[in-house]
């Protein structure tokens, strides 16, 4: 997950409170009253209290699962080994578990109402390529390893919440799917969440994504992004005897320099990143290929489109400059293209949504304050299709995401676990206890 704090978070937060509490004539108020009543019931329900208490007595088990899962490599498109371990963990929590065709691990807890589904998900994949050392080191209270927080935290929390609900013998009103999904990071292009939403679309009443640490935010606004790849090809040749032929790397550098001088607005916040560059075969060969991967993000679809056009224009100009300055065009010219590797659609959760109300009620119960954030996460997919979704951290503290110095400190993680559990049960609802 990569977060960008919402520009007008204060305004938005105020807006939420205004809508929730200060508009008695709104028809939605009746619903909110019922919900706050049911959230009080949630806090008083003995089974829910048992589930909440389960966390405190099992914190070391939860930390152990996080370390164990983090030490199973899960590079993009290679999540299957970690998925298998996660499947075992969900099965041990009494769920009926299957792995779908794309590789998502789906554990079902059938509700009284089987037709209405709430999803709690955490992504299995990391950004780190195969061969990265993912052994977890301990330094004081900190755990250190690539992927330990993003998304070792989310996965461990998901397993813990499933287990707590199982141990407390809670029967939900709506069916809950506990999902360890593939393809959140990089070129995974959210394929796991896309497949999940495709499969359950009309039944989905809410999607809660657990991503990384902390309890300070709730992502309700999906940041739109595009991932592009520039490819430039030429005839290639010998560095000495063919000197003067058009060189794809030269053209890429010329185009890139133009592109990085593109002005982007701070509001709506718009960003770009030249993230990966490759090409050439040896130091003394004129390369036949050069490639560049670029990530562009914006709060505005218009700016996103403008930036993609700018990239194409700059690369076209870089190729033209290189062709014009080359001395020998007899052996061919440069070809170029810009391909779309992935795109994450934007969307926004309505301020009056029952899911946001459930999160706010959970925040109230655990005495937490959180701000609205705009970010690019698995929640982009349901949000872009009008399905209620949020992404939240799963508690504790973390840092250095997507770097080899990534760390996680589980101190205080209990609040994040309780917050996620209460939000989940707030939206799935709890069936009345059976009298024994
Ligand atoms: Zn993540």
């Amino acid at each position: 997950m990569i977060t960008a704090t919402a520009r007008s978070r204060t305004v938005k937060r105020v807006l939420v409170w205004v809508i929730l509490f200060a508009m008695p004539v709104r028809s939605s108020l009746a619903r909110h009253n019922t919900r706050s009543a049911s959230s009080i019931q949630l806090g008083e329900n003995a089974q829910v209290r048992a589930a909440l208490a389960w966390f405190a007595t099992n914190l070391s088990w939860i930390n152990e699962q996080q370390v164990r899962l983090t030490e199973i490599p899960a590079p993009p498109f290679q999540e299957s080994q970690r998925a298998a371990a996660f499947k075992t963990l969900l099965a041990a929590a009494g769920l009926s578990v299957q792995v779908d065709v794309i590789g998502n691990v789906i554990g079902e807890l059938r509700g009284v109402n089987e037709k209405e589904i709430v999803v709690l998900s955490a992504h299995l994949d990391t950004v780190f390529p195969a061969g990265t050392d993912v052994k977890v080191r301990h330094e004081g209270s900190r755990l250190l390893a690539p992927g330990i927080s993003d998304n070792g935290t989310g996965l461990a929390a998901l397993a813990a919440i499933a287990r707590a609900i199982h141990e407390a013998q809670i029967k939900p009103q709506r069916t809950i799917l506990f999902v360890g999904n593939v393809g959140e990071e990089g070129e995974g292009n959210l394929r796991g969440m896309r497949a999940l939403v495709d499969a359950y679309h009309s039944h989905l009443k809410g999607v809660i994504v657990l991503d990384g640490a902390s309890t300070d935010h709730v992502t309700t606004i999906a940041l739109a992004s595009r991932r592009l790849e520039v490819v430039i090809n030429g005839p290639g040749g010998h560095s000495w005897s063919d000197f003067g032929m058009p060189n794809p790397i030269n053209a890429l550098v010329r185009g890139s320099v133009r592109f990085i001088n593109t002005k982007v607005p701070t509001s709506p916040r718009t960003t770009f990143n030249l993230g990966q560059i490759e090409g050439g075969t040896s130091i003394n060969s004129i390369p036949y290929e050069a490639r560049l991967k670029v990530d562009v993000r914006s709060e505005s679809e218009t700016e996103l489109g403008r930036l993609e056009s700018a990239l194409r224009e700059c690369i076209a100009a870089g190729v033209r400059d290189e062709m014009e300055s080359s001395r020998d065009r007899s052996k061919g010219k440069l070809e170029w293209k810009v391909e779309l590797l992935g795109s994450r659609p934007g969307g926004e959760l309505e301020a009056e949504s029952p899911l946001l109300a459930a999160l706010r009620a959970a925040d109230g119960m655990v005495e937490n304050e959180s701000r609205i954030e705009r970010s690019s996460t698995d929640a982009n997919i349901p949000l872009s299709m009008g399905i209620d979704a949020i992404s939240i951290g799963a508690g504790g503290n973390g840092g250095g995401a997507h770097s080899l110095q990534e760390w996680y400190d589980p101190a205080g993680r209990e609040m994040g676990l309780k917050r996620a559990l209460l939000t989940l049960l707030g939206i799935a609802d709890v069936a009345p206890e059976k009298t024994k």
Side-chain angles (χ1 to χ4, degrees), residues 4-276:
T5 304
R7 196 163 30 99
S8 52
R9 75 166 77 121
T10 317
V11 175
K12 290 241 158 63
R13 189 147 108 201
V14 169
L15 199 65
V16 169
W17 289 109
V18 166
I19 290 163
L20 281 176
F21 298 114
M23 302 183 74
V25 290
R26 286 184 70 101
S27 60
S28 63
L29 190 80
R31 296 207 322 267
H32 286 297
N33 280 343
T34 327
R35 262 195 306 279
S36 38
S38 87
S39 65
I40 291 162
Q41 283 160 12
L42 210 55
E44 286 172 357
N45 182 302
Q47 286 174 300
V48 174
R49 282 210 308 273
L52 291 170
W54 187 89
F55 297 129
T57 46
N58 290 278
L59 286 172
S60 53
W61 181 86
I62 299 168
N63 295 343
E64 280 159 28
Q65 302 317 309
Q66 184 161 346
V67 168
R68 202 169 60 83
L69 290 168
T70 302
E71 289 183 342
I72 303 171
F77 300 95
Q78 296 172 56
E79 300 100 335
S80 62
Q81 207 192 336
R82 185 179 286 186
F86 198 64
K87 184 183 176 194
T88 308
L89 209 49
L90 291 189
L95 304 174
S96 88
V97 194
Q98 45 133 341
V99 178
D100 71 7
V101 286
I102 206 148
N104 294 320
V105 180
I106 304 171
E108 186 191 74
L109 177 62
R110 197 163 294 176
V112 176
N113 180 346
E114 294 171 28
K115 297 243 161 65
E116 295 190 345
I117 293 172
V118 177
V119 167
L120 183 69
S121 76
H123 68 85
L124 290 161
D125 55 321
T126 70
V127 293
F128 303 100
T132 305
D133 182 3
V134 289
K135 182 95 184 101
V136 177
R137 292 184 296 119
H138 299 253
E139 271 179 24
S141 61
R142 281 189 179 188
L143 305 170
L144 294 98
I148 185 69
S149 181
D150 180 14
N151 193 17
T153 311
L155 291 169
L158 190 76
I161 291 165
R163 193 68 190 271
I165 288 176
H166 177 63
E167 300 288 338
Q169 301 182 335
I170 291 172
K171 171 91 174 172
Q173 194 63 34
R174 288 172 164 162
T175 292
I176 300 175
L177 298 182
F178 295 88
V179 181
N181 62 287
V182 297
E184 195 270 346
E185 300 285 10
E187 286 157 37
N189 201 27
L190 310 183
R191 72 185 192 288
M193 186 54 79
R194 285 178 210 267
L196 193 73
V197 171
D198 273 354
Y200 296 99
H201 187 191
S202 58
H203 302 286
L204 291 177
K205 295 298 162 195
V207 177
I208 301 164
V209 175
L210 298 177
D211 202 344
S214 91
T215 54
D216 61 356
H217 70 278
V218 50
T219 299
T220 61
I221 310 161
L223 184 65
S225 71
R226 288 182 203 172
R227 282 146 194 212
L228 303 147
E229 184 171 36
V230 177
V231 185
I232 304 176
N233 289 104
H238 192 277
S239 63
W240 170 258
S241 55
D242 294 317
F243 180 72
M245 275 175 59
N247 178 322
I249 290 185
N250 291 2
L252 185 65
V253 170
R254 291 175 192 273
S256 299
V257 169
R258 285 172 178 261
F259 180 68
I260 60 181
N261 287 316
T262 305
K263 294 273 178 288
V264 290
T266 49
S267 175
R269 184 171 156 82
T270 303
T271 65
F272 60 82
N273 184 54
L274 277 59
Q276 241 182 323

